[in-house]
Amino acid sequence: MSIHKQPEKAGGLASVQSTIKHLMQSHRTKDNIKNLLRVNQTDGFDCPGCAWGDNTHGAFQFCENGAKAIAWESTDKQLDSSFFKTHSVSQLLKQSDYWLEYQGRLTEPMRYNHQTDHYEPISWQGAFALIADKLKQLTDPNQLELYTSGRASNEAAFLYQLFGRLFGTNNFPDCSNMCHEASGVALTQAIGVGKGTVVLDDFEQADAIFVLGQNPGTNHPRMMNALRKAAKQGCKIVSFNNLKEVALKKFASPQSPTELLTPMATQISHLYLTPKLGGDMAALRGMAKWIFEQRSKQINRNFIQTHTHYFDDYQKVVTQTSWQKIEQQSGLTQAEIAQAATIFIESNKVISCWAMGLTQHKHSVDTINEVVNLHLLTGQIGKAGAGLCPVRGHSNVQGNRTVGINEKPSAEFIRALEKITLVKLPTAPGHNVYQALKALHQKNSKVLISLGGNLAQAAADTQFTHQAIKNAELNVQISTKLNRTHLLVSQDALILPCLGRTEKDNKVSGLQKITVEDTFSMVHASKGMTDPISANCLSETEIIAQIAHACLEQNINWLALKDDYSKIRDLMAKTLAGFADYNQKIEQPAGFHLTNSAAQLNWQTKTKRAEFGFNQLPEHILSDCYSEQINNKQVQFVLQSLRSHDQYNTTIYGMDDRYRGIQGERRVLFINQQDAEQLGLSQGDKVDIQSVCDQGILRQAHNFKIVYYDIPRGNLAAYYPETNPLLSIESIGEHSYTPTSKSIPVSLKQITDSLNINVIS
Ligand SMILES: Nc1nc2c(c(=O)[nH]1)N[C@H]1C(S)=C(S)[C@@H](COP(=O)(O)OP(=O)(O)OC[C@H]3O[C@@H](n4cnc5c(=O)[nH]c(N)nc54)[C@H](O)[C@@H]3O)O[C@H]1N2
Ligand SMILES: Nc1nc2c(c(=O)[nH]1)N[C@H]1C(S)=C(S)[C@@H](COP(=O)(O)OP(=O)(O)OC[C@H]3O[C@@H](n4cnc5c(=O)[nH]c(N)nc54)[C@H](O)[C@@H]3O)O[C@H]1N2
Ligand SMILES: [Mo]
């Protein structure tokens, strides 16, 4: 019997009601209604919600979670020095992530005083001088770690990497390392470019759209409009998801009066398959095997011959993979896989989309390679209505990479930067998130600067990560809201409050715009509309320019750049491929498209052809750091950590997950009823989750409530960041270094009253 009720459909009136609630809670309802009307409009600002693109050319698009992101940023609650005077850091550490961010917008630069354990006010110039002083003391520039979260603008990110490289390091760990890194690695290897090959218009032409390991109803709600429209036109949507996500079953557009006001909704998925966690590579391999066995005549031999390499090796490995292994690892039957393969081979134009369900596993690079393989086998790339679509997360994470946030810069990019700086820049690879945390933990790195984000709660292995951040001799956080990363301090730390995307950025040269790139490689301008929360907040771009000005011998006029962002764009035009005439191009209403070589059948790979991958299925889907436990059969369940409907990564907006029928709580564990019963667990019982021990460390997350769910046996799901303590720092994807957040080996321990102690957040 179920104690929670899932809705029949996603979207609809409930979505409008939820939006109104969040707008009211911002205490700036009027401003935010105005904000909503300007989001993604010409002369408006880019939605900080997600990286999905827009082609509505001026029409208003309603998006519940975009509205939540805006309302959360644009609140009238302020957090200034009086707050920090009242609360010591040790006291703040006891509060939940939700409480910390809920206190409001940061409005004053603050410095940590380790003697009093309080943050105290500091002037902006004092803060910049402090950073300069500390950086001068470093004995090696690689003792500096420069983290970026993907909300920063192209201008801020470009200056940030320029500053770092002039200082002498390529240490640019960024949120991508925990997110779509595997997509970049796999696509670069296979098709010569690490980005998706489709644009939004392609969705209107596709005959089939595969949505793999992605929950767009919550995380990319504007994508639902594209899927709904496609479904209505007869496009076959095939979902591969470990869970039955309601939006992928039925979606009611809040923009359609009938679907808004009646129980009507559009059926989204034509076929919905629920593979086991990490089972997608096997399922995709199975589709190829079925095509080779049953429909070999429909394989696109012409495309293969003209455009690809390694076909024979691929065919061999597909043939050698047994159906038994495919069924066992995917958890799907041959008949189910055949249904998906039939749709793939019978459609003239196919798009495949994917997100974290594919990228956060040990063998994610190989899995994404397997998606590409199917597209190469059938020539489903480089034509209208077909191609590959890794759906990015943060609204400008793709732009950040394009403008140089990359720990492994290309020689060509470094040469271009050297032309404008006239300085020799470092070429040796720097640190990604995994390497940065290890270096901080070992005290080899000494300073952490973060351009946004919340590394403490975003990264795996909470205990290890917290210690690593705490080890920094100086922890500098450029942020809008208070979070746990600000509180992991020992010696010195700074909180530098910045403007958000929604706010006006006024400089001596006038109101500034910034630029961003969406998941379809469309680059466009964004201009804030509301008055800044405080005159004492600076833009991210200015903060970075001022840090660089204070720290570096001058051969770049940083202060001129901070006063007029078009001058930064001029530098970008000189150094980045496809950015010529940047200032002019962003004046076009919808911006401009950065061309994608693979979409033009131009393969920038080693062989100058699109390359089939020919990897074996993994022996086991779990990271090799658990091999001993796997051999000893200690793995009871595989857990995925995912997002609720009321959160934005580590930012918790509320305690509900409406589409999964959860209200007022986050410490829930989704489990198959038969698995629960076999363990003697009933709905509502409490358990501790233990990950299998690696490196002699027992990792636990306490006090989760059992919720029966439609989930494959042996698999579990619970929210992140609460589950991050369970994931070993060593459990990372092959070639991607991404934490395997969707495959954590765990066992459960029922809590009886006497054991119900030690609840940590
Ligand atoms: N409102 C909101 N919007 C967001 C975010 C947010 O937190 N809140 N975060 C942003 C960011 S940075 C990102 S990266 C994206 C994330 O967007 P998503 O990738 O959609 O996010 P997750 O919640 O991690 O969901 C993963 C989905 O994959 C499924 N899944 C997990 N493992 C597997 C598997 O092995 N196989 C298959 N087939 N399915 C699997 C899960 O059931 C779930 O539906 O969203 C962005 N947009
Ligand atoms: N277990 C598990 N872990 C995961 C994931 C998972 O699925 N499971 N997902 C991973 C993914 S996909 C990602 S992308 C990472 C996310 O990692 P991050 O990007 O580091 O985390 P966020 O939660 O997005 O960062 C929130 C903070 O950013 C700041 N902020 C918000 N807006 C702005 C702004 O405009 N400017 C500045 N300067 N600061 C701002 C606020 O202070 C806020 O507290 O987490 C990863 N971690
Ligand atoms: Mo992400």
Side-chain angles (χ1 to χ4, degrees):
M1 208 192 67
S2 174
I3 55 164
H4 77 292
K5 197 166 179 298
Q6 277 183 266
E8 300 277 312
K9 62 176 190 178
L13 197 57
S15 174
V16 178
Q17 285 161 342
S18 158
T19 306
I20 294 169
K21 188 176 106 192
H22 285 270
L23 289 178
M24 304 283 284
Q25 278 170 357
S26 74
H27 301 282
R28 267 178 103 172
T29 315
K30 232 166 73 194
D31 279 346
N32 280 327
I33 289 171
K34 263 198 247 161
N35 266 335
L36 281 186
L37 296 172
R38 305 308 309 224
V39 68
N40 295 341
Q41 304 294 308
T42 310
D43 222 30
F45 64 92
D46 180 71
C47 181
C50 73
W52 188 254
D54 227 300
N55 62 356
T56 47
H57 308 304
F60 169 69
Q61 263 208 59
F62 172 84
C63 170
E64 176 190 343
N65 278 349
K68 280 187 205 162
I70 290 164
W72 192 254
E73 173 176 304
S74 194
T75 161
D76 72 350
K77 290 176 84 178
Q78 297 198 16
L79 208 160
D80 56 18
S81 53
S82 61
F83 172 88
F84 290 104
K85 206 167 174 181
T86 318
H87 303 277
S88 71
V89 165
S90 312
Q91 285 164 346
L92 290 172
L93 272 169
K94 293 190 187 128
Q95 299 292 346
S96 68
D97 293 327
Y98 172 73
W99 188 93
L100 292 175
E101 281 217 25
Y102 189 70
Q103 302 313 306
R105 284 283 300 278
L106 295 159
T107 54
E108 263 186 82
M110 306 295 299
R111 178 186 184 180
Y112 178 64
N113 179 341
H114 66 91
Q115 274 156 348
T116 61
D117 192 35
H118 281 261
Y119 268 101
E120 295 166 358
I122 184 170
S123 69
W124 277 107
Q125 288 312 319
F128 300 137
L130 178 81
I131 298 170
D133 196 42
K134 184 70 204 174
L135 292 194
K136 276 185 196 125
Q137 289 168 30
L138 297 183
T139 51
D140 180 337
N142 292 314
Q143 292 170 343
L144 169 64
E145 301 291 349
L146 294 161
Y147 177 70
T148 319
S149 164
R151 227 180 240 192
S153 64
N154 281 351
E155 287 75 3
F158 181 79
L159 282 196
Y160 194 55
Q161 61 82 33
L162 190 60
F163 157 65
R165 295 195 159 108
L166 280 167
F167 183 72
T169 186
N170 280 319
N171 286 349
F172 292 106
D174 78 324
C175 71
S176 260
N177 300 143
M178 300 176 276
C179 182
H180 259 295
E181 189 72 48
S183 306
V185 174
L187 293 177
T188 305
Q189 192 181 304
I191 60 168
V193 51
K195 299 182 184 182
T197 66
V198 296
V199 293
L200 188 48
D201 288 341
D202 287 318
F203 283 75
E204 298 189 12
Q205 299 183 45
D207 301 312
I209 301 172
F210 281 68
V211 182
L212 305 140
Q214 193 200 345
N215 180 24
T218 286
N219 298 316
H220 302 93
R222 283 176 296 122
M223 178 175 174
M224 291 313 303
N225 296 333
L227 293 180
R228 175 179 171 271
K229 197 165 174 191
K232 278 194 171 305
Q233 287 172 1
C235 169
K236 290 185 174 144
I237 294 170
V238 180
S239 293
F240 277 57
N241 199 305
N242 188 244
L243 303 176
K244 286 273 172 68
E245 303 285 21
V246 64
L248 288 171
K249 292 195 280 182
K250 266 187 176 180
F251 178 70
S253 167
Q255 242 117 346
S256 148
T258 15
E259 292 189 357
L260 181 67
L261 300 170
T262 72
M264 279 173 67
T266 304
Q267 185 192 329
I268 300 294
S269 293
H270 183 85
L271 175 67
Y272 200 127
L273 299 178
T274 50
K276 280 201 228 169
L277 290 172
D280 300 84
M281 181 179 179
L284 293 156
R285 171 74 42 98
M287 285 168 66
K289 191 173 175 72
W290 187 85
I291 291 171
F292 276 118
E293 286 175 1
Q294 306 292 332
R295 297 290 180 89
S296 66
K297 281 206 186 100
Q298 280 165 274
I299 288 172
N300 193 335
R301 308 273 168 190
N302 194 16
F303 182 90
I304 292 167
Q305 212 157 31
T306 319
H307 291 290
T308 70
H309 208 79
Y310 301 125
F311 174 71
D312 293 342
D313 302 273
Y314 170 60
Q315 183 169 16
K316 198 162 143 204
V317 78
V318 174
T319 313
Q320 280 170 354
T321 313
S322 72
W323 276 112
Q324 190 209 357
K325 175 91 181 170
I326 289 169
E327 289 193 329
Q328 171 256 322
Q329 198 160 87
S330 69
L332 301 175
T333 62
Q334 187 176 337
E336 287 173 311
I337 292 170
Q339 279 181 286
T342 307
I343 295 175
F344 202 101
I345 197 75
E346 286 182 355
S347 302
N348 287 324
K349 298 168 187 168
V350 184
I351 294 176
S352 293
C353 304
W354 67 90
M356 297 305 100
L358 253 56
T359 64
Q360 295 177 331
H361 289 287
K362 171 178 81 164
H363 55 299
S364 287
V365 171
D366 291 354
T367 303
I368 293 156
N369 242 308
E370 210 63 28
V371 178
V372 180
N373 286 340
L374 274 177
H375 281 253
L376 298 181
L377 189 64
T378 49
Q380 293 291 357
I381 186 167
K383 62 181 187 185
L388 301 161
C389 183
V391 184
R392 305 280 164 185
H394 265 301
S395 54
N396 195 35
V397 63
Q398 188 159 314
N400 283 192
R401 270 286 156 93
T402 303
V403 304
I405 301 297
N406 190 341
E407 78 280 4
K408 287 181 283 188
S410 70
E412 190 191 353
F413 177 61
I414 293 294
R415 269 198 303 275
L417 287 180
E418 285 174 344
K419 273 196 193 144
I420 59 161
T421 56
L422 307 176
V423 172
K424 187 106 196 76
L425 299 175
T427 49
H431 292 160
N432 54 27
V433 164
Y434 166 81
Q435 292 154 339
L437 288 171
K438 297 272 278 203
L440 285 164
H441 201 265
Q442 288 157 3
K443 301 191 179 176
N444 291 333
S445 287
K446 299 187 186 298
V447 177
L448 169 67
I449 303 183
S450 296
L451 177 53
N454 182 5
L455 185 58
Q457 298 303 84
D461 214 335
T462 306
Q463 262 187 325
F464 180 95
T465 292
H466 284 196
Q467 189 58 52
I469 296 172
K470 229 177 148 169
N471 284 353
E473 292 173 12
L474 176 64
N475 172 4
V476 181
Q477 298 294 319
I478 303 167
S479 323
T480 50
K481 294 257 186 133
L482 183 65
N483 64 48
R484 206 160 294 279
T485 309
H486 302 113
L487 307 176
L488 298 167
V489 288
S490 49
Q491 297 181 33
D492 221 335
L494 290 167
I495 296 175
L496 304 180
C498 65
L499 297 177
R501 186 84 63 78
T502 51
E503 289 166 318
K504 287 181 190 155
D505 186 358
N506 227 334
K507 290 285 174 336
V508 284
S509 68
L511 209 54
Q512 301 298 307
K513 32 177 173 286
I514 52 108
T515 50
V516 293
E517 176 183 337
D518 68 25
T519 206
F520 305 116
S521 305
M522 287 296 300
V523 180
H524 55 92
S526 167
K527 204 156 77 182
M529 311 301 298
T530 47
D531 290 328
I533 181 94
S534 151
N536 207 13
C537 286
L538 297 183
S539 73
E540 294 174 331
T541 313
E542 168 154 11
I543 295 171
I544 293 151
Q546 293 273 18
I547 294 175
H549 176 74
C551 294
L552 299 174
E553 300 294 321
Q554 303 309 321
N555 51 2
I556 296 271
N557 187 348
W558 300 98
L559 299 185
L561 296 177
K562 81 160 173 58
D563 286 336
D564 182 355
Y565 300 174
S566 69
K567 295 200 169 109
I568 306 174
R569 289 189 285 272
D570 284 338
L571 288 183
M572 291 158 83
K574 283 187 196 153
T575 45
L576 298 166
F579 279 65
D581 302 321
Y582 194 23
N583 275 306
Q584 288 76 40
K585 281 199 258 190
I586 59 158
E587 291 304 323
Q588 301 166 58
F592 70 99
H593 185 239
L594 283 171
T595 51
N596 180 298
S597 45
Q600 297 166 342
L601 302 173
N602 166 4
W603 314 106
Q604 303 282 328
T605 58
K606 282 197 195 117
T607 58
K608 296 290 166 217
R609 281 165 165 258
E611 296 184 2
F612 280 99
F614 47 94
N615 303 295
Q616 304 281 351
L617 295 185
E619 254 327 284
H620 199 288
I621 65 132
L622 296 175
S623 160
D624 294 340
C625 72
Y626 303 113
S627 50
E628 207 177 296
Q629 289 78 12
I630 295 165
N631 290 338
N632 294 338
K633 303 214 180 320
Q634 288 169 22
V635 179
Q636 195 179 18
F637 290 101
V638 180
L639 167 80
Q640 66 151 317
S641 57
L642 78 177
R643 292 154 173 80
S644 83
H645 194 62
D646 267 3
Q647 82 181 79
Y648 193 94
N649 298 338
T650 69
T651 297
I652 312 301
Y653 300 133
M655 306 305 277
D656 298 345
D657 190 6
R658 202 172 71 242
Y659 292 162
R660 300 196 185 101
I662 299 299
Q663 272 187 337
E665 56 191 340
R666 287 183 52 84
R667 295 186 94 80
V668 293
L669 181 67
F670 299 109
I671 186 170
N672 184 296
Q673 183 169 353
Q674 282 171 292
D675 279 340
E677 284 171 357
Q678 208 167 54
L679 294 177
L681 292 167
S682 309
Q683 184 111 257
D685 283 353
K686 294 285 180 73
V687 291
D688 285 343
I689 312 174
Q690 291 188 343
S691 77
V692 306
C693 174
D694 112 281
Q695 301 175 309
I697 303 167
L698 180 65
R699 297 179 176 80
Q700 304 194 62
H702 297 279
N703 210 28
F704 283 73
K705 190 165 121 184
I706 292 289
V707 172
Y708 295 161
Y709 212 75
D710 187 355
I711 182 172
R713 291 201 67 179
N715 287 173
L716 303 170
Y719 305 128
Y720 118 86
E722 286 83 347
T723 43
N724 284 19
L726 295 165
L727 191 52
S728 163
I729 188 80
E730 298 302 337
S731 186
I732 48 176
E734 287 164 354
H735 318 293
S736 67
Y737 289 84
T738 300
T740 60
S741 308
K742 299 290 188 268
S743 45
I744 313 174
V746 298
S747 58
L748 304 181
K749 223 170 91 196
Q750 183 164 12
I751 307 177
T752 57
D753 277 348
S754 58
L755 287 170
N756 191 359
I757 42 165
N758 198 15
V759 175
I760 52 160
S761 61

